[in-house]
């Protein structure tokens, strides 16, 4: 029963709170209907495998898309946003620190140096976060509109036509 509850939780936590209980009851009922009376853990695994990936199942229950673009590319966008944002922030930190250190003439004190570096770092990080989000969002909206689709078997985008909206 623990596996069933974990699976249902994996599906429902991706949904809005107002439909979570209904979906949980429906899933539990469907799963129990598919199981034999005297089921084993192996039977549960087989039934859950038939239902498939919890995130894909949750997409079927969503009332509306999660973003400007379709759900097909949303998860891919979020993972790239996290990875790209982290990489660019680290690059901005290194560039800001080396730039201030190279320009440091020895005048002023340690406090002046620390405040200058801190100000430059905060400005660079905010600038990078805004650019990564804006340009990433723009690219993914464009990709979704021209019909690039996410392959269900991988995390990559493919050139296969998706469901186009008019």
């Amino acid at each position: 029963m623990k596996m069933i509850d974990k699976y249902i939780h994996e599906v429902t936590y991706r949904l809005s709170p107002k439909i979570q209980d209904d979906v949980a009851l429906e899933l539990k009922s469907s799963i129990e209907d598919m199981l034999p009376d005297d089921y084993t853990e192996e039977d549960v695994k087989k039934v859950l495998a038939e239902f498939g990936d919890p995130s894909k199942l949750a997409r079927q229950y969503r009332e509306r898309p999660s973003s400007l673009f379709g759900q097909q590319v949303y998860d891919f966008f979020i993972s790239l946003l996290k990875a790209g944002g982290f990489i660019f922030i680290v690059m901005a930190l290194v560039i800001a620190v080396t730039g201030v250190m190279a320009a440091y003439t020895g005048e002023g004190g340690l406090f002046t140096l620390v405040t200058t570096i801190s100000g430059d770092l905060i400005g660079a990080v905010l600038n990078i976060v805004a650019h990564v989000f804006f340009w990433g969002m723009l690219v993914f909206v464009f990709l979704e509109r021209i019909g690039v689709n996410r392959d269900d078997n991988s995390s990559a985008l493919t050139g296969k036509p998706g469901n186009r909206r008019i």
Side-chain angles (χ1 to χ4, degrees):
M1 201 60 150
K2 277 186 177 180
M3 247 193 304
I4 295 172
D5 292 334
K6 284 181 183 180
Y7 184 84
I8 291 172
H9 173 73
E10 283 296 312
V11 173
T12 57
Y13 94 92
R14 293 174 167 88
L15 302 171
S16 68
K18 63 183 178 181
I19 65 168
Q20 284 180 348
D21 293 335
D22 293 336
V23 170
L25 288 173
E26 181 182 333
L27 276 176
K28 190 170 187 107
S29 171
S30 297
I31 292 169
E32 288 174 350
D33 288 346
M34 294 175 72
L35 289 170
D37 291 335
D38 233 5
Y39 63 88
T40 64
E41 187 173 321
E42 197 61 37
D43 294 329
V44 173
K45 286 181 183 179
K46 287 178 186 176
V47 169
L48 294 181
E50 287 181 38
F51 276 92
D53 183 24
S55 64
K56 289 180 184 175
L57 186 58
R59 281 187 216 137
Q60 295 174 4
Y61 285 104
R62 286 200 180 126
E63 299 167 338
R64 59 183 165 76
S66 302
S67 61
L68 285 175
F69 38 81
Q71 188 60 37
Q72 286 285 42
V73 294
Y74 178 74
D75 296 328
F76 192 62
F77 168 73
I78 294 299
S79 63
L80 282 181
L81 192 64
K82 290 176 186 176
F86 176 75
I87 290 168
F88 289 126
I89 286 172
V90 169
M91 287 173 48
L93 296 176
V94 169
I95 291 169
V97 169
T98 55
V100 169
M101 296 298 253
Y104 182 64
T105 60
E107 295 179 14
L110 182 62
F111 180 75
T112 305
L113 179 64
V114 170
T115 55
T116 303
I117 290 175
S118 299
D120 286 353
L121 290 178
I122 291 170
V125 167
L126 291 176
N127 190 14
I128 293 294
V129 167
H131 278 278
V132 167
F133 182 78
F134 174 77
W135 291 109
M137 181 71 77
L138 191 66
V139 166
F140 275 84
V141 166
F142 175 74
L143 289 175
E144 200 267 339
R145 295 296 186 257
I146 65 169
V148 173
N149 203 354
R150 184 172 168 270
D151 186 4
D152 288 336
N153 297 325
S154 73
S155 62
L157 293 175
T158 66
K160 298 175 188 172
N163 294 335
R164 291 182 157 225
R165 286 188 237 152
I166 297 176

